[in-house]
Amino acid sequence: MLFLRSFIFSSIQLMTTVVFSLVGVLLWPLPFSWRYNIASKWAALNLWLLKLICGISYEIEGKENIPDEPCIIMCKHQSAWETLALQVIFPQQVWVLKRELLWIPFFGWGLAALNPIAIDRSAGRKALKQIIEQGKDRLQAGSFIVIFPEGTRIPVGEMGRFGIGGAKLAVESGANVLPIAHDAGKAWPKNSFIKYPAKIKLVIGEQIMVQDRTASEVNEHTYQWIEKEMSQLADLSKSNGE
């Protein structure tokens, strides 16, 4: 039954991706806010389908911590679920992502229409400079910046090393960091086709202020907060028998 439900969801998700991506490309000449509005509708639709078909719902803690002004969202990366949820929970945003994602037919075309900061992760300092320069521009244009500091999805129960790009952008732009933890991996594990019924919990922390801090200090503070919250979420899941 889990396989069948997952198959139905994945099939519908693929179809909606093709449709929304083509619409996004057609809307490319229009303002970014229009294109983003379409993308967020796609994400909301897929979250609804996940609940309807796969029994995956979610709850949010700390929504009052979302600021009015754009900031740097640094989120735990454990699943594909958060790539949908962040678009629905937070205001207009752009993402730092690996440029190879833009080469995927349809999906990549849709991503390209959303003004991402698409980097070559092997480029080192050049990639870091790109994050800072383009990140400042996106912030000034009124968009939040989403960064997965681990750089890739990390299996449940593990923490990956944080790259410095998000913290460096925060310090150089003066935009604070908003840390995010969640336990989506229990419902949609890394590289798993099967989706498991569960209620995902996403926790939004208080802003981490960057004034008078180095990028390394901001990065470490963010890491420690997310690590602590992930441990608490794991304990909660165990107590609930998940």
Side-chain angles (χ1 to χ4, degrees):
M1 183 61 73
L2 287 178
F3 178 87
L4 178 59
R5 290 182 177 182
S6 299
F7 176 78
I8 293 172
F9 168 77
S10 296
S11 298
I12 298 175
Q13 184 187 38
L14 177 60
M15 289 186 288
T16 61
T17 299
V18 172
V19 172
F20 276 81
S21 295
L22 290 175
V23 171
V25 171
L26 291 174
L27 293 179
W28 208 313
L30 299 177
F32 171 64
S33 59
W34 289 44
R35 286 175 273 146
Y36 180 79
N37 188 51
I38 292 294
S40 62
K41 294 294 188 296
W42 172 81
L45 172 61
N46 279 275
L47 287 177
W48 178 76
L49 290 170
L50 274 174
K51 183 177 181 179
L52 179 68
I53 299 171
C54 300
I56 298 175
S57 60
Y58 65 95
E59 61 177 318
I60 305 169
E61 178 183 318
K63 199 167 185 178
E64 68 278 2
N65 292 325
I66 301 176
D68 294 327
E69 67 281 357
C71 67
I72 315 298
I73 297 171
M74 290 179 64
C75 182
K76 173 65 180 174
H77 205 12
Q78 197 178 64
S79 169
W81 175 86
E82 58 269 22
T83 63
L84 301 172
L86 294 180
Q87 298 177 60
V88 174
I89 297 169
F90 295 94
Q92 177 179 298
Q93 61 204 245
V94 299
W95 292 33
V96 176
L97 47 80
K98 57 184 180 182
R99 65 179 183 178
E100 290 84 356
L101 291 175
L102 303 184
W103 303 342
I104 302 174
F106 296 107
F107 177 75
W109 307 342
L111 275 181
L114 297 177
N115 289 354
I117 302 172
I119 63 170
D120 177 359
R121 292 195 298 188
S122 66
R125 291 184 177 276
K126 183 179 179 181
L128 180 59
K129 181 180 179 182
Q130 180 185 354
I131 291 172
I132 294 170
E133 291 180 350
Q134 295 185 10
K136 287 180 177 180
D137 289 341
R138 306 296 198 274
L139 287 165
Q140 291 174 0
S143 294
F144 285 57
I145 307 295
V146 173
I147 294 179
F148 297 110
E150 293 164 300
T152 188
R153 287 173 287 176
I154 302 296
V156 173
E158 299 180 19
M159 286 286 292
R161 186 184 71 85
F162 277 22
I164 198 67
K168 190 74 171 175
L169 170 60
V171 169
E172 296 214 10
S173 67
N176 295 322
V177 169
L178 195 66
I180 309 296
H182 61 84
D183 55 2
K186 68 185 182 185
W188 190 342
K190 177 183 177 181
N191 298 329
S192 174
F193 177 77
I194 302 298
K195 283 77 176 171
Y196 300 90
K199 175 174 280 190
I200 295 167
K201 185 170 183 179
L202 182 141
V203 183
I204 304 170
E206 295 182 357
Q207 290 186 79
I208 295 174
M209 305 302 175
V210 300
Q211 187 175 7
D212 299 324
R213 282 180 169 168
T214 66
S216 295
E217 290 171 341
V218 170
N219 219 29
E220 181 62 22
H221 189 159
T222 305
Y223 183 97
Q224 290 178 359
W225 185 91
I226 292 179
E227 182 180 42
K228 178 182 177 181
E229 290 297 323
M230 292 304 299
S231 178
Q232 292 178 352
L233 288 172
D235 290 343
L236 181 62
S237 290
K238 288 179 181 178
S239 67
N240 291 336
E242 296 178 343

